Amino acid sequence: MRILHTADWHIGKIVNEFSMLEEQAEVLHRLVDQVKELEVDVLIMAGDLYDRAVPPKEAVVLATDIFTRLVKEAGIPVLAIAGNHDSNERLEYGAQLLSTSDLHIEGTVKQKVRKVTIKGTHFYLLPFGDHVSIRKLLDKEEIRDLQDATRVQLDSIQAEMDPEAVNVLIAHGYVVNGGKESVEDSESERPLSIGTTEYVDVELFEAFDYVALGHLHKAQKVKTDRVRYSGSPIKYSKSEARHKKQHLLVDLSKESITVESIPTEPKRDLRILKGHFDELMQGESEDYIFFELEDKDYVIDAMNQLRRRYPYAMGLEYLAKKERQSKADSRTHELADRKNVLELFDDFYSNFKDQPLDDERRQAVQAIWETVQKGGE
Ligand SMILES: [Mn+2]
């Protein structure tokens, strides 16, 4: 079974006011050519097809073009799920009809996880959903977070799974090996939950021969060769400047797995350029650039001047200022640790009101604080 694993297309995404649509069209149309050449059996898109729940119309047009070419021209089945950026219901529009043409889009979470069988291999499609709606849908009180929700869904798959067959799971989320330090995230991934843990432990996925994940934008494996993020095909934030963007070509059987990376290489790269303003003004580039200026003093109108040489400049920061700021931050934290509550309130008040706390107010605050310490009355 030869799988092309990709995810996090985020079609329609705007990065620092630049639309990524041109790069997305370039990379995705090339992807169709590549899957034709590589004779893959199936293409997986593991969530975040779009960047927003209601994508711009150009994004919908591009997605339609790519899916149509994959199915009609390349002649391969496509398996896609919703990620946390997608609208589950909107993504699923027409899905039952599209399935008859081998475009399988699973948008909403179902009571029974959808299974699609291709050339004897079973694919389980697990779209992203929040734990509260999954708890309601499955009527399972014990679901308190995403880890519980995933466990319950995987248990129900495993109850009916044929362990002799090759089984592949497609999912979207934050899968870790023990703790979140085990994987590398980026600035452009939105948190999956507020108030409860967003992490799911990789141990839950042991029964599968391959787990095709979406969400983290850096290509990486989690604990084993068989659990992987393909990453996004394009750099979507400054923190991704050093990523090697790729699709994964996976040759899979019960006994073995080999994974090859297919670099995506859009014409316009996203890079960080570090140096003094005068040096940088000697160069030029049509890439997306984040500047890190080493100048000690501010340069008047630096960004506009740089834009004449770098029309796709995305951002600029002064390294010296950043360093001063982080020193000041850590000093503030140190001081905060040593002050008592009344002194801290004093600071807060004078910062907020631009005038010092007078004696009358100080006494009032002190009285309140003493009451609080006594347990409140
Ligand atoms: Mn995501």
Side-chain angles (χ1 to χ4, degrees), residues 76-91:
I76 60 159
V78 173
L79 305 172
I81 59 168
N84 59 311
H85 283 248
D86 298 306
S87 155
N88 299 79
E89 290 78 11
R90 286 192 182 91
L91 202 71

Side-chain angles (χ1 to χ4, degrees), residues 53-84:
V54 183
K57 58 183 190 285
E58 296 81 4
V60 181
V61 171
L62 179 58
T64 306
D65 285 351
I66 296 302
F67 283 147
T68 307
R69 282 195 66 208
L70 283 166
V71 173
K72 294 288 179 195
E73 191 185 316
I76 60 159
V78 173
L79 305 172
I81 59 168
N84 59 311

Side-chain angles (χ1 to χ4, degrees), residues 8 10 47-48 83-85 172-173 188-190 192 214-217:
D8 294 274
H10 290 266
D48 286 349
N84 59 311
H85 283 248
H172 190 95
S188 51
E189 298 136 9
R190 197 186 286 162
L192 297 178
H215 187 55
L216 297 184
H217 285 189

Side-chain angles (χ1 to χ4, degrees), residues 8-291:
D8 294 274
W9 292 0
H10 290 266
I11 302 180
K13 186 168 181 68
I14 292 168
V15 183
N16 288 38
E17 292 169 36
F18 289 97
S19 161
M20 293 288 113
L21 206 67
E22 209 178 300
E23 286 72 32
Q24 290 167 334
E26 179 199 347
V27 162
L28 294 175
H29 277 294
R30 188 158 56 236
L31 171 62
V32 181
D33 301 334
Q34 287 162 330
V35 300
K36 280 161 74 178
E37 263 169 48
L38 295 166
E39 297 184 342
V40 309
D41 296 307
V42 59
L43 181 131
I44 291 175
M45 210 300 297
D48 286 349
L49 173 66
Y50 297 119
D51 191 53
R52 285 186 262 152
V54 183
K57 58 183 190 285
E58 296 81 4
V60 181
V61 171
L62 179 58
T64 306
D65 285 351
I66 296 302
F67 283 147
T68 307
R69 282 195 66 208
L70 283 166
V71 173
K72 294 288 179 195
E73 191 185 316
I76 60 159
V78 173
L79 305 172
I81 59 168
N84 59 311
H85 283 248
D86 298 306
S87 155
N88 299 79
E89 290 78 11
R90 286 192 182 91
L91 202 71
E92 204 162 86
Y93 172 77
Q96 279 176 304
L97 289 173
L98 295 171
S99 270
T100 61
S101 302
D102 255 351
L103 172 54
H104 306 277
I105 299 176
E106 192 73 341
T108 61
V109 178
K110 307 288 191 306
Q111 288 209 335
K112 190 176 158 70
V113 178
R114 172 127 171 253
K115 176 171 98 173
V116 176
T117 302
I118 296 167
K119 296 186 177 172
T121 297
H122 303 306
F123 294 87
Y124 294 90
L125 281 65
L126 200 64
F128 178 78
D130 67 274
H131 74 276
V132 177
S133 8
I134 297 174
R135 174 168 63 211
K136 228 191 221 165
L137 175 80
L138 301 179
D139 195 20
K140 298 254 187 211
E141 278 303 315
E142 71 263 34
I143 296 178
R144 287 151 309 167
D145 54 27
L146 279 169
Q147 163 111 347
D148 294 338
T150 310
R151 186 187 300 110
V152 169
Q153 288 176 293
L154 295 186
D155 281 350
S156 77
I157 295 176
Q158 277 161 240
E160 295 176 24
M161 195 163 99
D162 172 8
E164 306 293 308
V166 177
N167 295 295
V168 177
L169 179 75
I170 305 168
H172 190 95
Y174 210 142
V175 177
V176 300
N177 179 21
K180 68 171 179 161
E181 325 72 53
S182 60
V183 291
E184 194 177 323
D185 58 6
S186 319
E187 282 162 8
S188 51
E189 298 136 9
R190 197 186 286 162
L192 297 178
S193 65
I194 307 290
T196 60
T197 174
E198 55 178 339
Y199 309 114
V200 174
D201 203 276
V202 67
E203 306 293 334
L204 291 183
F205 302 93
E206 267 169 4
F208 296 92
D209 299 288
Y210 187 69
V211 182
L213 293 171
H215 187 55
L216 297 184
H217 285 189
K218 185 178 191 219
Q220 55 198 299
K221 56 183 182 180
V222 188
K223 192 179 178 192
T224 84
D225 276 340
R226 292 177 181 271
V227 182
R228 283 180 185 266
Y229 286 96
S230 64
S232 60
I234 291 171
K235 299 171 183 179
Y236 288 133
S237 62
K238 185 182 174 188
S239 66
E240 297 171 53
R242 289 183 185 89
H243 289 183
K244 285 200 170 15
K245 295 302 189 182
Q246 57 197 272
H247 311 295
L248 299 179
L249 184 65
V250 182
D251 282 297
L252 184 67
S253 71
K254 201 73 199 165
E255 298 75 31
S256 71
I257 178 169
T258 59
V259 181
E260 192 187 319
S261 96
I262 314 283
T264 56
E265 296 171 337
K267 275 194 217 91
R268 186 163 292 130
D269 196 7
L270 184 154
R271 299 186 286 135
I272 296 171
L273 277 183
K274 194 162 130 177
H276 287 91
F277 178 79
D278 290 341
E279 296 157 17
L280 292 167
M281 282 301 284
Q282 303 297 309
E284 60 186 338
S285 169
E286 302 236 317
D287 285 342
Y288 297 113
I289 306 286
F290 285 95
F291 293 102

